[in-house]
Amino acid sequence: MANLAQTMVGLQNTTLKDLKGTEKRDSLIALEKKYQQQWEQQGLFDANAPSTTDIPLHSIPAAELREKFPKFFGTIAFPYTNGRLHVGHAFSFSKVEFHVGYLRMKGINVLWPQGYHCTGLPIKACADKLCKEVGLFGQEFENYKEDEEPVADAAAKPAQREREDVTKFTAKKGKAAAKSVKMKYQFQIMQAMGIPLQQIHLFADPAYWLEYFPPLCKLDLSNFGSRIDWRRQFVTTDANPYFDAFVRWQMIRLRELNKIKYGKRHTIYSIKDGQPCMDHDRSEGEGVNPQLYVAIKMQVLEFASKAQETLRGKLPDNANVFLVPATLRAETMYGQVACFVSPRVTYGIYEAAPNEYYVMTERAAKNMAHQEIFAEEGVIKKTADIQGSDLIGTLVNAPLSFHKGGVRVLPMESILETKGTGVVTCVPSDSPDDYATISDLAKKAEYYKISKEWAELEIIPIIRTPTSDLLALELVKKLKIASPKDTKQLKEAKELAYKEGFYQGHMLVGDFKGEKVADAKPKVRAQLIEAGLAFEYAEPENKVVSRSGDECTVALMEQYYIDYGEESWRAIATEYVENKDGNGLNTYSSDARNAFLGVLDWLKQWACARTYGLGSRLPWAPEFLVESLSDSTIYMSYYTIAHYLHSDIFGREKGLGDIAPDQMIDEVWDYIFCRTELTDDILTRSKISKETLEAMRREFEYFYPLDLRVSGKDLINNHLTFALYNHIALFPREYWPKSFRVNGHLQLNGEKMSKSTGNFMTLDDVVKKFGADASRIALADAGDTISDSNFVEDVADSTILRLHSLREWCEEVSKSQDLRTEKNDFEDALFDNEMNTLIQEAKRHYEDTNYKMALKSCFYDFINAKDVYRATCVAAGIPMNKDLAFKYIRLQALSLTPIAPHWAEYIWLEILGESRTVQLAQWPEVPEANASLTAARAYVLATQSNITSAESAQVKKMAKGKQVSFDPKKPKRLTIYVIREFPRWQNECIELVKETWDMTTMTQKCTDKELSGRVAKIGKVKEAMPFVQRLKKRLRDGEPISEVTERKLAFDECKTVVAMVPSLKRVAGLSAVNVLLVTEGSKTGSDLIHGGVVDVKAPFAEQAVPGQPSFLFENIET
């Protein structure tokens, strides 16, 4: 049998970067392993609350305790343990990891735990598949025929259905959407994951997955250098009896609060599995919900002749037959003028009730079969098939339509079998698609083989909007839509029509005339259903496939559900997310906040129970399991006390509290989580000591609330919003989450991660290939926004060289005997100030959780500052200053500790000779940046660059024959012209802006024409007018007028230029340098180096302005 693991590795190797040499990487990794072992042995990352022995419980309020001993509690969404962590997991993980590293340096008591999610269908489904495959092919799959082996290839991208309800927020993609490897058998997938063929049969037992993957998760994160308190790790499901008791308590309390209810609701359903199919149970369609329509009963009044012929003898003589288009816009049914079917689709006629038949697609019938629409639940009775083309011309009744004599069935080419019922009602007054189609039919009646008058029924205005009473017609005209083939414009028109009609429309007709469409919509819907003219119909918003391979439908089921969206509950959640007073949920960006508010707006009831998979039993109905997105909403609170309950992930060994699982009664959880106070009854029934209970409550009271939760943005739709709802229901407000930070998906080398293309890396792959620190730096460099980020292998690879070279430089400098001891006020002062500036910048970026910018400040720019300093010292012919060199080494190690702790540890211990780990070091305190020195340094760098450019410009002139007096190969002199005063015309422009600008209204007091006239009087109009416009723009942008009009440099330009002379002579190969101070209009200047006054003849002098000197190169005789 061909080895699929080798095949996949080969595919990966053709896609990912191939490293040429590994000696430098290997030396870095060796140090990483050394320090990781030391950190673990020292228990550096074990976090504890202040003990109740030192500070008795309730001796001070919990909030005051947290203020006295600052703490931080951060988590990521715990990974599902059916495989190794990939680099996308590491990306989310790094956001907390880097923040934790920084906060530890600020003296914060940090709790950073990690658990493993095992609940749900995936593991069980995979294990069951392996059971069958072992039976088919043998324990080691030795009976599998090699020629049957499928090729690992990219899955075909599913067709994206157009979003029906444009007012509803949806995520672009979820986790399941990114899992694209398609192989026929589960054992092949396991083999491609690198699991030896001889071990795969063990995974036929679901429990083995829980034994196998969590330790690998811990290993991968430990090799990554994570600062996790591993005492608090656990697995979910009833495999851990303590966590099982926790989940049962949660469900019981939610039910008592009337948050969990029982009733009929539409849910995504797998007929094959015989149960609801929730997000984590899906191989395709994560985040897809039921879409609820109203199906209009358009009774057949007279079949077309072809239909009569096709159906002869297949239906009872008195049969009531209905075409049943599904619509979201019941309020528009007054405007129906036709009914559309696809000529190419084969429709079925299904018996819904005795003597009542519906015309629709087979897919729609499958959905209806489990929604109490058919007489027999789950039974589909097809009476006949009929081609759509045979139905053309059939006369049907259109409920509520003004065309009481009926409307005709007409062809519509764009109808899909995968959407709705395959039948569409036509309302051209408000649907651009319908208007474009009906107009095309009328124009080409002969081509479509229909009577023209069928497509020419009067279009009656039914909704008034700000744009028009016939909105669809207006939009088709405005967007220049010529036919139904203009799909792009029609899509835009549909969205515009729906939004304007819903939000700004008023009814012109019907029982609810004059009402807003938003108010009338549900009333018309209810009226149609009550009159028997329509019924509710639901289907998945998009394709959903269960992990058992079944394409799912929607069923109306009696089930337990959490009543998300309940009005009062949602109002509290919305207010907390809006965070108007600054005491609510921090989402770090307006995009994320709006996404949460959008989900809160549409999220409704969520099924919380299933019958298949892994999990905890529903306490009052043990035949059901708690589904995977319902047992993972408040488990963050479990972290706070996990180490008191058990010392292993399964709860097989007791923890610090010496507590058995059955002692964790519901009332104990209530007490620990601050819902009740301790009573003698709790002590008696639980048999847990008061001291232990108080210690556990202290852990919760101190570390809660959760300070930071990091997850992918796709989890806004479910997990994160669920977590918020559940915290609001179960905990006092003091303990609600403080912040949710969502990141985009992670690309790899600029492309979507995909196993099928080989563009995929596990965390283990990345760390083995580049080492932990280089991988961490590449993750920090990948990005921080809600948009997708990019892990670039070239960044990780180049970082290996950069870290290795920087380490060698630090070693060499620390041993050097050639460093200066005295400090100067130029090279040394500029470098010292730049280090202070960058450390302050890095601090701000770390605090704002902008790690890409923090990395730029404390790594890339910091190294560059060192290199510039070293170069300027060489150019000046002086060694580096010893104190500054060691300050650089120290600050480099400390500032990089949050992101690259292993490299920092080596520098800290081995080069700087510190006695304690850098993990216990404090963030460096440096003086505030000196603005004068910062400006001077920027001036020096710009001037050096400008001098090079000026020489190049003179050389080019010489090459073109425009100048023959300068030869760069001969001895040369540079004259630098500096000036203290700005040109007179600029000063006059500034005074003009001051006079004509109103700082209260941020507007110009005079007209543009008047302003232009006054500028013309100043002179130099070509330069002056753009100068004035730039000043005005700065003022409009909010820059203070004092800064805009300030004309003084922050540093002494003359002194700075003179200090640059020695290094300029060396770097540029100059025989001499003169610095002349000139004034506007003067023919002489002051020689700042040799003293005296000299004549100024060169026109270059006139180009100088403060902060921007001009230059002249000349040849001289030596």
Side-chain angles (χ1 to χ4, degrees):
M1 179 175 15
N3 191 324
L4 268 182
Q6 292 178 355
T7 302
M8 295 300 290
V9 168
L11 180 62
Q12 187 179 65
N13 288 340
T14 64
T15 305
L16 300 176
K17 183 178 179 66
D18 184 23
L19 300 188
K20 302 300 181 184
T22 62
E23 297 83 0
K24 294 179 175 62
R25 177 203 67 184
D26 294 344
S27 70
L28 293 172
I29 289 178
L31 289 174
E32 290 169 355
K33 298 299 182 189
K34 170 185 173 181
Y35 295 130
Q36 287 166 8
Q37 185 176 8
Q38 290 178 5
W39 296 339
E40 183 176 4
Q41 289 171 350
Q42 295 172 42
L44 285 180
F45 310 125
D46 294 351
N48 298 296
S51 74
T52 52
T53 302
D54 295 335
I55 304 175
L57 190 70
H58 302 322
S59 60
I60 62 173
E64 187 176 328
L65 182 70
R66 294 191 292 269
E67 185 176 345
K68 185 175 182 179
F69 301 98
K71 64 88 186 180
F72 172 83
F73 178 20
T75 67
I76 63 165
F78 50 14
Y80 196 79
T81 50
N82 61 342
R84 297 292 287 262
L85 298 179
H86 55 67
V87 69
H89 289 116
F91 180 61
S92 291
F93 181 90
S94 70
K95 301 306 178 189
V96 180
E97 171 67 18
F98 299 154
H99 198 52
V100 160
Y102 172 71
L103 291 179
R104 286 174 58 88
M105 300 185 75
K106 299 294 289 182
I108 307 297
N109 187 8
V110 170
L111 174 57
W112 176 207
Q114 186 61 55
Y116 314 103
H117 199 202
C118 310
T119 308
L121 180 65
I123 290 175
K124 175 65 173 168
C126 292
D128 288 352
K129 288 179 185 177
L130 285 173
C131 278
K132 294 177 182 178
E133 292 168 18
V134 168
L136 283 171
F137 305 125
Q139 182 167 298
E140 296 186 7
F141 311 97
E142 62 273 11
N143 297 323
Y144 178 71
K145 297 287 195 268
E146 289 187 19
D147 57 0
E148 296 176 4
E149 187 165 348
V151 177
D153 198 2
K157 186 178 179 180
Q160 291 297 308
R161 284 180 46 181
E162 187 175 328
R163 185 153 58 108
E164 280 289 288
D165 188 345
V166 297
T167 64
K168 184 173 176 180
F169 170 83
T170 57
K172 290 184 179 179
K173 63 180 179 178
K175 293 179 182 176
K179 299 168 185 172
S180 56
V181 169
K182 299 294 181 184
M183 298 180 190
K184 186 175 181 181
Y185 295 108
Q186 182 65 36
F187 81 87
Q188 295 171 323
I189 297 173
M190 307 297 286
Q191 192 180 9
M193 291 166 63
I195 298 172
L197 194 65
Q198 297 75 17
Q199 295 181 23
I200 292 176
H201 70 93
L202 299 172
F203 290 85
D205 178 4
Y208 189 71
W209 296 68
L210 278 62
E211 299 278 355
Y212 187 86
F213 284 114
L216 291 178
C217 178
K218 178 185 177 183
L219 176 65
D220 291 347
L221 291 175
S222 297
N223 290 340
F224 187 61
S226 57
R227 302 172 173 92
I228 289 174
D229 182 348
W230 289 112
R231 301 172 304 160
R232 300 170 189 259
Q233 60 181 325
F234 62 88
V235 297
T236 64
T237 77
D238 53 7
N240 183 324
Y242 295 94
F243 187 78
D244 185 56
F246 168 73
V247 173
R248 286 187 282 109
W249 163 80
Q250 176 190 355
M251 294 296 108
I252 288 170
R253 292 299 180 252
L254 286 174
R255 191 184 187 207
E256 290 173 351
L257 292 167
N258 202 32
K259 304 300 183 185
I260 293 181
K261 299 176 182 177
Y262 188 70
K264 290 182 178 179
R265 58 182 299 278
H266 291 97
T267 189
I268 305 294
Y269 181 77
S270 167
I271 295 174
K272 178 180 178 181
D273 299 338
Q275 68 169 9
C277 184
M278 310 312 292
D279 271 8
H280 286 190
D281 301 332
R282 303 171 187 176
S283 62
E284 183 180 338
E286 183 178 356
V288 174
N289 291 306
Q291 178 65 67
L292 189 60
Y293 297 91
V294 59
I296 307 298
K297 297 174 69 173
M298 305 185 77
Q299 186 168 6
V300 174
L301 303 177
E302 181 184 359
F303 273 114
S305 57
K306 284 187 178 180
Q308 291 181 26
E309 186 177 330
T310 300
L311 298 175
R312 187 171 289 116
K314 297 180 180 178
L315 292 170
D317 293 338
N318 60 344
N320 295 313
V321 182
F322 299 86
L323 276 73
V324 284
T327 181
L328 292 169
R329 305 197 64 187
E331 75 282 3
T332 67
M333 292 303 98
Y334 300 101
Q336 295 178 92
V337 302
C339 177
F340 292 134
V341 297
S342 171
R344 297 189 299 271
V345 170
T346 300
Y347 292 86
I349 299 181
Y350 299 89
E351 183 180 343
N355 210 39
E356 187 167 310
Y357 300 83
Y358 296 161
V359 179
M360 57 187 165
T361 60
E362 182 179 1
R363 174 182 168 279
K366 285 184 177 180
N367 274 283
M368 290 188 188
H370 295 274
Q371 296 179 30
E372 298 184 357
I373 294 171
F374 293 165
E376 294 183 56
E377 185 69 10
V379 178
I380 301 173
K381 294 181 179 180
K382 183 192 285 188
T383 303
D385 285 320
I386 187 168
Q387 195 66 25
S389 56
D390 293 347
L391 290 167
I392 305 302
T394 295
L395 185 67
V396 296
N397 176 60
L400 299 185
S401 172
F402 285 95
H403 300 290
K404 302 302 182 184
V407 300
R408 296 288 177 173
V409 176
L410 301 176
M412 189 181 208
E413 300 288 345
S414 59
I415 289 175
L416 301 174
E417 287 188 78
T418 55
K419 180 179 178 180
T421 61
V423 181
V424 177
T425 188
C426 174
V427 185
S429 59
D430 291 84
S431 168
D433 286 287
D434 293 354
Y435 179 72
T437 300
I438 204 76
S439 298
D440 193 56
L441 290 171
K443 291 176 187 176
K444 303 175 182 177
E446 187 174 345
Y447 171 79
Y448 288 110
K449 299 178 182 178
I450 64 170
S451 296
K452 187 176 182 180
E453 60 268 21
W454 294 350
E456 292 185 328
L457 295 185
E458 182 184 0
I459 300 174
I460 299 171
I462 59 172
I463 294 173
R464 171 163 293 163
T465 73
T467 298
S468 174
D469 290 355
L470 292 170
L471 182 57
L473 281 66
E474 188 65 28
L475 289 172
V476 166
K477 178 181 177 181
K478 179 180 179 181
L479 298 178
K480 299 179 181 179
I481 297 168
S483 78
K485 294 181 180 179
D486 294 332
T487 53
K488 184 178 179 181
Q489 299 99 305
L490 281 169
K491 182 178 181 181
E492 180 184 356
K494 175 182 178 178
E495 187 156 335
L496 291 171
Y498 196 165
K499 285 186 175 179
E500 184 171 336
F502 182 79
Y503 291 112
Q504 301 180 64
H506 288 77
M507 299 300 298
L508 292 173
V509 299
D511 292 346
F512 310 104
K513 180 179 178 180
E515 293 191 21
K516 293 180 179 179
V517 168
D519 296 330
K521 186 185 188 83
K523 297 177 182 178
V524 177
R525 178 192 185 98
Q527 190 179 66
L528 283 165
I529 293 172
E530 289 169 9
L533 300 173
F535 56 89
E536 282 190 341
Y537 163 72
E539 65 182 28
E541 293 170 319
N542 277 305
K543 185 178 181 181
V544 177
V545 179
S546 73
R547 293 189 182 272
S548 63
D550 185 33
E551 183 170 350
C552 296
T553 61
V554 167
L556 185 64
M557 300 184 66
E558 290 274 9
Q559 61 183 157
Y560 290 102
Y561 60 88
I562 301 178
D563 195 15
Y564 298 129
E566 183 272 321
E567 189 173 346
S568 61
W569 201 8
R570 181 176 64 180
I572 297 172
T574 299
E575 176 265 334
Y576 197 65
V577 170
E578 287 175 341
N579 192 19
K580 292 179 179 178
D581 61 358
N583 295 317
L585 184 72
N586 178 12
T587 57
Y588 296 90
S589 76
S590 58
D591 287 343
R593 182 176 65 252
N594 291 336
F596 275 105
L597 292 173
V599 173
L600 288 169
D601 190 48
W602 62 256
L603 180 64
K604 304 299 179 186
Q605 304 158 351
W606 184 268
C608 60
R610 67 158 64 83
T611 58
Y612 177 77
L614 303 180
S616 296
R617 298 285 171 182
L618 210 56
W620 59 89
E623 66 274 21
F624 292 107
L625 294 163
V626 178
E627 68 92 25
S628 59
L629 281 169
S630 297
D631 79 341
S632 57
T633 58
I634 60 167
Y635 69 89
M636 301 73 99
S637 61
Y638 186 85
Y639 281 130
T640 63
I641 58 165
H643 59 310
Y644 270 87
L645 301 179
H646 48 81
S647 57
D648 68 308
I649 63 174
F650 295 103
R652 295 166 184 164
E653 300 175 8
K654 293 180 180 179
L656 296 177
D658 192 29
I659 301 167
D662 59 5
Q663 291 178 271
M664 293 301 295
I665 59 177
D666 293 341
E667 290 75 15
V668 167
W669 296 108
D670 287 332
Y671 170 70
I672 292 171
F673 296 143
C674 301
R675 291 169 52 84
T676 61
E677 294 304 321
L678 190 59
T679 64
D680 291 338
D681 182 63
I682 293 175
L683 291 169
T684 302
R685 292 175 56 210
S686 70
K687 296 182 174 60
I688 302 173
S689 71
K690 179 180 179 181
E691 293 73 21
T692 299
L693 287 171
E694 288 186 343
M696 288 195 289
R697 176 148 172 168
R698 165 60 57 80
E699 288 281 326
F700 173 78
E701 281 187 345
Y702 176 68
F703 281 117
Y704 242 58
L706 180 67
D707 294 288
L708 174 64
R709 176 63 160 194
V710 174
S711 298
K713 60 186 177 184
D714 50 300
L715 295 188
I716 295 175
N717 279 2
N718 42 58
H719 165 71
L720 291 174
T721 305
F722 293 177
L724 183 60
Y725 264 121
N726 278 264
H727 276 85
I728 290 171
L730 293 169
F731 298 112
R733 186 181 180 110
E734 180 181 352
Y735 299 108
W736 295 357
K738 302 300 291 182
S739 73
F740 286 162
R741 189 187 196 283
V742 295
N743 49 258
H745 300 284
L746 186 70
Q747 293 183 326
L748 179 57
N749 299 323
E751 301 289 339
K752 174 184 172 182
M753 282 205 297
S754 170
K755 291 180 181 177
S756 61
T757 63
N759 195 48
F760 182 88
M761 297 184 80
T762 65
L763 176 55
D764 183 56
D765 293 334
V766 170
V767 172
K768 284 179 178 175
K769 190 169 186 177
F770 301 111
D773 281 341
S775 300
R776 291 165 69 106
I777 286 173
L779 285 167
D781 192 67
D784 295 300
T785 69
I786 194 172
S787 301
D788 290 354
S789 298
N790 186 24
F791 180 92
V792 181
E793 285 191 282
D794 282 340
V795 172
D797 188 25
S798 63
T799 298
I800 294 172
L801 177 60
R802 189 174 270 113
L803 289 174
H804 191 273
S805 299
L806 186 57
R807 187 184 74 186
E808 286 186 335
W809 183 87
C810 292
E811 290 171 337
E812 291 171 5
V813 169
S814 68
K815 298 172 184 176
S816 175
Q817 301 299 314
D818 299 327
L819 301 178
R820 272 185 299 119
T821 55
E822 73 283 356
K823 286 185 180 180
N824 65 41
D825 60 359
F826 185 58
E827 290 90 356
D828 294 346
L830 295 184
F831 179 47
D832 193 12
N833 183 69
E834 182 65 6
M835 287 193 290
N836 296 339
T837 300
L838 291 172
I839 292 299
Q840 295 286 5
E841 282 183 7
K843 178 181 179 181
R844 288 194 298 272
H845 294 316
Y846 274 127
E847 289 177 348
D848 292 339
T849 68
N850 292 327
Y851 305 113
K852 186 178 180 74
M853 294 305 298
L855 183 71
K856 179 179 183 296
S857 297
C858 75
F859 189 51
Y860 299 126
D861 289 352
F862 211 66
I863 291 174
N864 182 64
K866 177 261 296 180
D867 291 341
V868 168
Y869 173 61
R870 183 174 59 169
T872 55
C873 286
V874 170
I878 58 174
M880 293 184 294
N881 176 269
K882 182 176 182 179
D883 289 343
L884 291 181
F886 274 87
K887 177 177 178 177
Y888 169 82
I889 294 171
R890 176 175 292 272
L891 291 179
Q892 183 67 89
L894 289 171
S895 64
L896 204 52
T897 293
I899 296 175
H902 311 86
W903 185 91
E905 184 78 308
Y906 176 81
I907 302 299
W908 189 251
L909 297 177
E910 306 299 331
I911 294 180
L912 296 176
E914 295 289 342
S915 59
R916 294 205 311 166
T917 172
V918 76
Q919 298 279 15
L920 298 176
Q922 297 295 295
W923 181 262
E925 294 296 329
V926 296
E928 289 294 327
N930 183 314
S932 175
L933 291 174
T934 300
R937 183 177 185 274
Y939 174 86
V940 168
L941 296 177
T943 301
Q944 289 172 341
S945 175
N946 291 340
I947 289 172
T948 302
S949 299
E951 182 176 11
S952 299
Q954 285 191 235
V955 171
K956 288 179 182 178
K957 286 183 179 181
M958 182 181 70
K960 293 178 180 180
K962 296 181 180 180
Q963 180 177 325
V964 293
S965 62
F966 175 65
D967 185 346
K969 296 179 181 179
K970 294 181 179 181
K972 53 193 176 183
R973 174 177 61 210
L974 169 65
T975 301
I976 303 175
Y977 300 97
V978 295
I979 189 168
R980 286 199 173 112
E981 298 294 330
F982 285 90
R984 178 187 57 80
W985 67 266
Q986 288 190 6
N987 291 329
E988 290 181 12
C989 286
I990 288 173
E991 291 304 317
L992 178 60
V993 170
K994 284 183 179 179
E995 181 184 338
T996 59
W997 189 261
D998 188 330
M999 288 302 298
T1000 304
T1001 61
M1002 301 302 287
T1003 58
Q1004 189 173 282
K1005 297 177 183 178
C1006 63
T1007 66
D1008 286 341
K1009 185 176 181 180
E1010 291 172 336
L1011 182 68
S1012 298
R1014 297 185 64 177
V1015 170
K1017 292 178 182 179
I1018 294 174
K1020 289 187 174 288
V1021 177
K1022 288 185 178 180
E1023 296 92 344
M1025 201 64 212
F1027 181 72
V1028 168
Q1029 296 298 339
R1030 287 195 296 272
L1031 294 176
K1032 288 165 55 180
K1033 182 180 185 303
R1034 290 172 65 187
L1035 290 169
R1036 279 195 299 268
D1037 291 344
E1039 195 171 341
I1041 193 168
S1042 59
E1043 293 182 13
V1044 173
T1045 58
E1046 176 59 54
R1047 305 294 281 166
K1048 293 181 181 179
L1049 297 181
F1051 61 98
D1052 187 329
E1053 183 177 11
C1054 294
K1055 180 179 178 182
T1056 302
V1057 174
V1058 171
M1060 292 175 63
V1061 169
S1063 61
L1064 286 176
K1065 291 179 69 174
R1066 287 174 178 269
V1067 172
L1070 300 169
S1071 298
V1073 176
N1074 290 336
V1075 181
L1076 301 183
L1077 175 63
V1078 298
T1079 56
E1080 185 178 5
S1082 175
K1083 299 299 182 180
T1084 61
S1086 301
D1087 189 329
L1088 298 181
I1089 295 179
H1090 307 101
V1093 176
V1094 298
D1095 292 335
V1096 177
K1097 300 178 182 179
F1100 294 96
E1102 297 178 1
Q1103 299 174 9
V1105 294
Q1108 296 177 14
S1110 58
F1111 315 101
L1112 173 64
F1113 285 91
E1114 301 171 290
N1115 293 123
I1116 59 174
E1117 297 294 332
T1118 57

